[in-house]
Amino acid sequence: MILSAPAVVFSQHDGYGDEHALEAIEAHSNEHVEETRDEAHHEGSDHGHADEFVPGDFIIHHIADANEIHLFGDFSISLPIIIYVEGKGLDVFMSSAFHDEHGGHSHGPTYARGPSTNVLYTKGELGITAEDESGAALTIWDISITKSAFGMFFVILLMILMLKSAANNYARRPGLAPKGIASVMEPLILFIRDGVAYPILGQEKSQKFMPFLLTSFFFIVACNLLGLIPFIGGFNITGTIGVTIVLAGLVFIITTINGNKHYWGHIVSPPGVPFFVKLILVPIEIFGILLKPTILMIRLTANISAGHIIILSFVSLIFIFGANSQAGGMGVGVFSTLFMIFMYFLELLVAFLQAYVFTLLAAIYFSEATQEPHH
């Protein structure tokens, strides 16, 4: 129900989007269009076949962020495009307004005309660019709702509803065993509290950091599980670098703010260390402060994306062998399907494991920053 509603609303965009997108393409310079055609023809002649299956392009297309949620075939859910053009103003329209030079939706460059600024937008492999009537490039701030952003909003809303329901259950039944969603979430909450926060931070200090640890754990788990649900667009939220860099940045900010005198003293001026050694050791310690959140970011992004890439790689094998031999494609298809099922269940484990590792490392960093000196 939740995912099907936007499909109905967003699909009602034919009148404005098609007309203005075609006008934008006609207004585009013929020279630019010819260059695009020449490049496409040149690339096609180099590869031999324009429709040749390219595994790398297939995989990147499915794990990369997008301005629409592709469900199946040519059907997709359009998402809002929100762009601020410096000196001209704000444009808000749907991603379905983008069309190619023939008025269709291809994998090549597509174009749309801004409804408020009359700016021509071009969406290609490197994102969205803009130019004015004379063809000069414009500076833009793209704050569009992408597939990953939509998935995050959905996960956040789901978390609020589930946690609120669990809290209401405890309020209605004080001292009794939880029921419903609370019975599912309580073991996970106790696991993070008793298995991560208390042993690493201690009972007193853990109360300060438990809200963040629980929020990050449930957010990462929910995002990972959403990406494993088939036929709803193939979300890869925690495999998007923009998402994980924010999560890692929050860990860095919390660690930095809560660092005590003992913590900073060992970084800026390690006690009992000769001065000439400090000249080497202090830069390394400062570099380590930045390295820790970077490791968090890379670990989460790489591990989640790797699972999707492996599954899509075995899907690609079916097309590669099937292009040369139908029997070979069927044989590889059986093997690939069985391995993909195995990888799918392994990804369920990874979904929880990576959330646990992120939460565990965050708790360790908080503990190091708040640790008191030993006498």
Side-chain angles (χ1 to χ4, degrees), residues 13-299:
H13 194 73
D14 295 337
Y16 173 82
D18 294 347
E19 178 183 351
H20 284 262
L22 291 173
E23 288 178 1
I25 297 167
E26 292 173 0
H28 202 44
S29 65
N30 292 329
E31 183 178 343
H32 179 77
V33 173
E34 287 300 324
E35 286 180 5
T36 304
R37 288 175 177 171
D38 291 342
E39 291 175 1
H41 176 73
H42 179 68
E43 291 176 0
S45 61
D46 288 342
H47 294 285
H49 300 282
D51 296 330
E52 182 181 357
F53 178 73
V54 182
D57 294 344
F58 170 76
I59 293 172
I60 295 299
H61 173 73
H62 281 79
I63 67 172
D65 206 0
N67 293 109
E68 64 276 329
I69 302 174
H70 180 260
L71 299 180
F72 55 86
D74 295 328
F75 183 75
S76 60
I77 300 174
S78 298
L79 296 174
I81 302 293
I82 308 171
I83 299 177
Y84 175 76
V85 185
E86 290 189 1
K88 289 185 175 291
L90 184 69
D91 275 324
V92 180
F93 55 96
M94 302 305 296
S95 60
S96 58
F98 281 97
H99 293 80
D100 60 21
E101 58 192 62
H102 303 295
H105 296 274
S106 66
H107 292 296
T110 53
Y111 311 93
R113 179 73 69 176
S116 301
T117 64
N118 202 37
V119 167
L120 180 64
Y121 297 103
T122 302
K123 185 171 70 169
E125 294 182 356
L126 300 179
I128 299 177
T129 57
E131 57 186 56
D132 58 17
E133 292 81 358
S134 63
L138 298 172
T139 302
I140 63 173
W141 295 83
D142 187 358
I143 52 175
S144 304
I145 305 299
T146 63
K147 181 172 68 174
S148 293
F150 178 85
M152 283 192 297
F153 291 145
F154 175 76
V155 166
I156 291 171
L157 177 62
L158 187 64
M159 286 176 58
I160 292 173
L161 295 177
M162 292 177 65
L163 293 172
K164 183 66 175 176
S165 174
N168 291 338
N169 181 275
Y170 282 110
R172 291 193 305 267
R173 299 165 48 85
L176 299 177
K179 286 187 175 182
I181 193 65
S183 63
V184 177
M185 302 193 72
E186 184 181 88
L188 296 174
I189 294 173
L190 294 178
F191 171 71
I192 296 299
R193 188 193 71 178
D194 299 337
V196 176
Y198 280 3
I200 296 174
L201 291 163
Q203 293 191 20
E204 184 178 348
K205 287 192 294 184
S206 63
Q207 302 303 318
K208 182 178 183 179
F209 299 104
M210 273 293 290
F212 176 81
L213 295 176
L214 287 174
T215 301
S216 59
F217 176 79
F218 282 113
F219 176 78
I220 295 173
V221 166
C223 289
N224 293 346
L225 293 179
L226 180 65
L228 295 177
I229 301 176
F231 311 119
I232 63 168
F235 288 91
N236 187 30
I237 300 174
T238 47
T240 304
I241 196 71
V243 176
T244 55
I245 197 172
V246 172
L247 292 173
L250 291 174
V251 173
F252 172 75
I253 292 172
I254 294 173
T255 304
T256 303
I257 292 175
N258 288 278
N260 55 25
K261 182 179 178 180
H262 174 71
Y263 171 74
W264 289 110
H266 276 71
I267 292 176
V268 178
S269 181
V273 177
F275 177 75
F276 69 90
V277 178
K278 290 182 180 180
L279 296 178
I280 302 174
L281 191 59
V282 170
I284 295 176
E285 290 288 345
I286 295 175
F287 177 73
I289 296 176
L290 302 176
L291 185 62
K292 290 176 181 178
T294 304
I295 292 173
L296 277 179
M297 174 189 68
I298 296 175
R299 181 193 300 272

Side-chain angles (χ1 to χ4, degrees), residues 308-328:
H308 294 289
I309 292 173
I310 291 173
I311 292 175
L312 291 170
S313 296
F314 277 89
V315 174
S316 300
L317 287 178
I318 300 174
F319 293 101
I320 294 172
F321 282 88
N324 300 321
S325 169
Q326 184 176 2

Side-chain angles (χ1 to χ4, degrees), residues 327-350:
M330 293 179 63
V332 173
V334 173
F335 169 75
S336 296
T337 302
L338 293 175
F339 191 83
M340 283 188 290
I341 294 174
F342 167 74
M343 282 299 303
Y344 183 84
F345 285 102
L346 185 62
E347 282 290 284
L348 288 175
L349 172 63
V350 172

